[in-house]
Amino acid sequence: MAESRTEKLDPSRGVRITDSLTNEKVPFVPLEPGRVRMYVCGLTVYDDAHIGHARTYVSFDVIRRYLEYKGFDVRYVQNITDVEDKIIKAAEKAGVSHLEHSRKYTQRALGDLARIGIRDPDAFCKVTDHMDDIVALIEEIIENGLAYVSDSGSVYFDVAKKEGYGKLSNRSVKEMLAGARVEPDPEKRNPADFALWKAAKPDEPHWESPWGKGRPGWHIECSAMSERLLGQPFDLHGGGRDLIFPHHENEIAQSEAAKGTDFAKYWLHTGFLNVEGEKMSKSLGNFITVRELLERHAADAVRYFYVLTHWRSPIDFSEKGITEAAAALERLTRTREELDKRVSGHEQPVDRYLAVANAASDAEKRLFEATERFLSVFTAAMDDDFNTPEAVAALHAFAGDLRKALSDNGHVHKALWAYAHDAFIRAGRVLTLFQDAPAEAAGDKTLDAVMQALLKIRQEARERKDWATSDAIRDRLAEVGIEVQDEKTGATWRRAS
RNA sequence: GGGGGGAUGACAGAGAGGCUAUGUGGCGGACUGCAGAUCCGCACACUCGGGUUCAAAUCCCGAUCCCCCCUCCA
């Protein structure tokens, strides 16, 4: 039963995703037709967001955008972990309260991610807002006999009692103990048991519970909040690769133990980001925050760079890589700007049938066919496990067709341009591109008038072969970020990106 | 020790039995007063050794090398 490439990419087969639970590419069938509920593990707010976070959240942003593109009604929830050991330590070091510290970094980090052009999830949920849900969930697990309370007032999950524990990370309790890196703890029945609730030490932030003052363990918040906001089971659960074990493994154990149903239907894990070939870490001094990055590079170039690698693969961040990405994106941007001009003034809604109806000349037919071809290749690529590199390649191929069409002298009805433009822009937006307002003169009539006057003076200089003046005008404008280009039909200008 | 992912042209990076992406960079040409953009063309690939097949970068076996996880981490 050999399948050809074309069959494998048949759009009618729908979205296929690689599920970490089985490590296989499987058809995506949401639990409820037409609706997708997704949960992605978000930030622990003790420091600024870094470029590894951005990689992960761009990936899930694209996945969410594509599912919407396909017509699904997507509800995307992301947590904010604002109670955690690292925050306690960082706050202590900074000499501020735990709450003050986590608030500051919630604001900073979310702001930075938004500035890099990642769309906010439909809801963020904070651990401190869901203490009741967390306590209730722990009580359910205890009632079901899968957790126990220690003498000190902590609650531990009893790993040995959980059937199937280890199914996500593909390991058994026995193997984990053989690893021997787990410190035996007199409070635990089994060294692999993990805390659902930690009894508070003096001076630690704490909340009341049936087991005394304490705070939630690391994993329980995601089980509690996802159930509260999305129900259980829900469709997609995602996060960075490193979260497979122990975080997600433990979430599965807790949620299944509490509710007796499956937790999430599909698990998606993004590949890690390295910096110039090395693991990014504070000790190596190659730790790059989103803030720093945005001082040096345009957000859209960074997003393009991310999307150039498949979401499951490791990505090697490099200055050269971003520079190359910026150059490649520039090609698409130029094409987009030219295309924008062709549809300006076209007020009718974009309509495939209107486009078909007006595809009379060869030029029009070519444009229509190029658009159709692009749409099918783009969809096939994205259906295939959200293959963004292939989708970007398709965008470039289409851009090539579009540039040919743009330089064609044959008359092309605006409905065709609108159809092509819409396909190009919407696909680009799925890939997080083309978010910024077009960098042309449309919105700035005064500037355009000034530029036209300057270009006229320059044109006169050129006519008398006064190249010094002509070049001086061009060079001075380049210094202020305006590119002048001589075309056959006359000079044009644009803001350099 | 256990689990997992890789090795594709100068570089980045898809593809997964016959179609040999795409981009950046390089070279040559067209267009230009020059530049840019654009177009046309060229060069440079599938880690190694076996096997299966009419056909292998793609499947199988073996080797070498790299990376990640098993501890906080997106």
Side-chain angles (χ1 to χ4, degrees):
Chain A
M1 278 271 285
E3 277 183 308
S4 76
R5 174 93 186 119
T6 332
E7 280 164 350
K8 279 183 185 161
L9 294 181
D10 178 356
S12 68
R13 290 179 57 159
V15 177
R16 294 163 67 80
I17 56 179
T18 302
D19 179 10
S20 311
L21 208 48
T22 55
N23 246 325
E24 278 171 1
K25 207 185 279 183
V26 293
F28 171 66
V29 183
L31 293 158
E32 216 179 302
R35 261 192 83 194
V36 178
R37 289 169 286 163
M38 66 187 275
Y39 183 93
V40 171
C41 281
L43 298 158
T44 299
V45 283
Y46 65 96
D47 203 352
D48 282 328
H50 56 67
I51 59 176
H53 292 124
R55 195 275 164 110
T56 292
Y57 302 125
V58 166
S59 297
F60 286 110
D61 192 16
V62 169
I63 288 170
R64 174 249 208 124
R65 285 166 189 255
Y66 184 62
L67 291 172
E68 287 175 351
Y69 178 92
K70 292 283 279 190
F72 289 106
D73 176 15
V74 180
R75 179 157 168 78
Y76 174 17
V77 175
Q78 203 179 101
N79 66 290
I80 292 165
T81 298
D82 58 353
V83 186
E84 212 266 337
D85 292 5
K86 290 210 144 171
I87 304 170
I88 296 172
K89 276 189 201 128
E92 210 170 276
K93 206 175 160 193
V96 298
S97 77
H98 175 265
L99 194 65
E100 204 177 320
H101 193 80
S102 67
R103 264 197 199 135
K104 175 181 168 189
Y105 281 100
T106 300
Q107 202 186 13
R108 279 173 70 102
L110 294 188
D112 290 349
L113 292 175
R115 277 202 300 142
I116 212 169
I118 296 165
R119 184 144 70 96
D120 278 349
D122 298 301
F124 284 109
C125 48
K126 277 194 236 168
V127 177
T128 48
D129 291 338
H130 290 268
M131 281 300 165
D132 294 349
D133 292 327
I134 289 168
V135 168
L137 193 73
I138 296 172
E139 285 185 303
E140 281 183 80
I141 299 170
I142 295 173
E143 275 164 35
N144 292 342
L146 285 144
Y148 54 92
V149 185
S150 77
D151 294 341
S152 68
S154 292
V155 183
Y156 291 98
F157 190 89
D158 197 341
V159 162
K161 293 219 174 113
K162 180 70 184 76
E163 201 187 322
Y165 184 74
K167 66 182 175 183
L168 178 69
S169 51
N170 199 13
R171 65 189 78 197
S172 66
V173 175
K174 216 170 131 190
E175 278 167 2
M176 286 185 292
L177 297 179
R181 281 166 118 176
V182 192
E183 295 273 322
D185 183 332
E187 290 230 307
K188 295 182 184 176
R189 290 182 189 166
N190 186 320
D193 290 351
F194 56 91
L196 298 177
W197 187 261
K198 294 180 177 182
K201 294 179 195 137
D203 301 328
E204 277 183 352
H206 57 262
W207 286 260
E208 294 296 336
S209 83
W211 319 287
K213 290 180 165 63
R215 63 197 155 92
W218 173 32
H219 320 293
I220 194 71
E221 82 277 16
C222 288
S223 286
M225 297 193 294
S226 63
E227 201 270 326
R228 162 65 70 185
L229 279 98
L230 295 173
Q232 184 176 327
F234 57 92
D235 298 295
L236 299 175
H237 192 133
R241 238 193 159 60
D242 55 315
L243 295 181
I244 292 175
F245 189 87
H247 189 53
H248 288 161
E249 192 67 64
N250 291 352
E251 283 185 38
I252 292 175
Q254 294 160 351
S255 292
E256 289 183 355
K259 305 289 173 188
T261 71
D262 283 341
F263 181 39
K265 188 168 181 186
Y266 304 96
W267 288 83
L268 312 183
H269 290 103
T270 53
F272 247 44
L273 174 141
N274 294 111
V275 173
E276 310 280 355
E278 284 188 310
K279 185 171 171 165
M280 180 168 77
S281 73
K282 285 186 176 162
S283 53
L284 280 170
N286 61 354
F287 200 85
I288 304 173
T289 64
V290 170
R291 265 175 196 237
E292 289 160 359
L293 181 73
L294 290 178
E295 282 167 17
R296 293 200 301 270
H297 299 288
D300 58 353
V302 175
R303 278 182 265 120
Y304 181 94
F305 171 77
Y306 283 142
V307 136
L308 223 39
T309 301
H310 186 99
W311 58 277
R312 303 184 75 241
S313 302
I315 190 168
D316 187 31
F317 181 91
S318 67
E319 292 295 321
K320 181 170 169 261
I322 304 284
T323 308
E324 283 189 16
L329 178 60
E330 175 79 6
R331 264 168 89 84
L332 295 179
T333 307
R334 282 177 192 279
T335 306
R336 181 259 172 104
E337 286 172 8
E338 290 304 310
L339 210 49
D340 283 342
K341 289 181 197 160
R342 296 297 172 121
V343 295
S344 70
H346 181 78
E347 299 305 335
Q348 294 188 58
V350 174
D351 182 343
R352 181 168 182 273
Y353 295 100
L354 191 66
V356 178
N358 285 291
S361 71
D362 284 351
E364 286 166 333
K365 281 180 186 150
R366 272 200 301 275
L367 180 57
F368 180 74
E369 276 157 23
T371 306
E372 294 283 285
R373 203 182 317 127
F374 166 67
L375 284 170
S376 90
V377 174
F378 174 77
T379 307
M382 291 301 286
D383 274 354
D384 185 19
D385 204 21
F386 311 106
N387 191 334
T388 54
E390 204 168 312
V392 173
L395 207 56
H396 275 285
F398 186 36
D401 290 336
L402 290 170
R403 284 190 296 266
K404 278 192 198 95
L406 287 161
S407 61
D408 217 340
N409 290 320
H411 172 77
V412 171
H413 192 280
K414 273 202 174 180
L416 273 307
W417 284 122
Y419 185 56
H421 180 265
D422 181 65
F424 192 67
I425 298 293
R426 287 208 307 134
R429 293 249 163 89
V430 167
L431 300 174
T432 75
L433 310 176
F434 307 150
Q435 287 189 38
D436 308 320
E440 32 87 48
D444 194 339
K445 295 235 166 70
T446 309
L447 177 60
D448 190 53
V450 171
M451 282 305 305
Q452 293 313 326
L454 265 173
L455 290 179
K456 186 148 183 275
I457 293 167
R458 181 165 173 273
Q459 182 53 33
E460 285 159 7
R462 295 183 76 210
E463 274 161 20
R464 42 170 209 275
K465 296 200 192 299
D466 178 2
W467 307 128
T469 303
S470 158
D471 291 351
I473 292 173
R474 189 172 61 196
D475 293 347
R476 290 299 93 75
L477 286 170
E479 282 167 18
V480 297
I482 287 174
E483 275 175 19
V484 173
Q485 289 172 28
D486 294 312
E487 317 268 346
K488 280 193 168 163
T489 49
T492 60
W493 71 276
R494 70 192 283 274
R495 285 205 169 94
S497 44

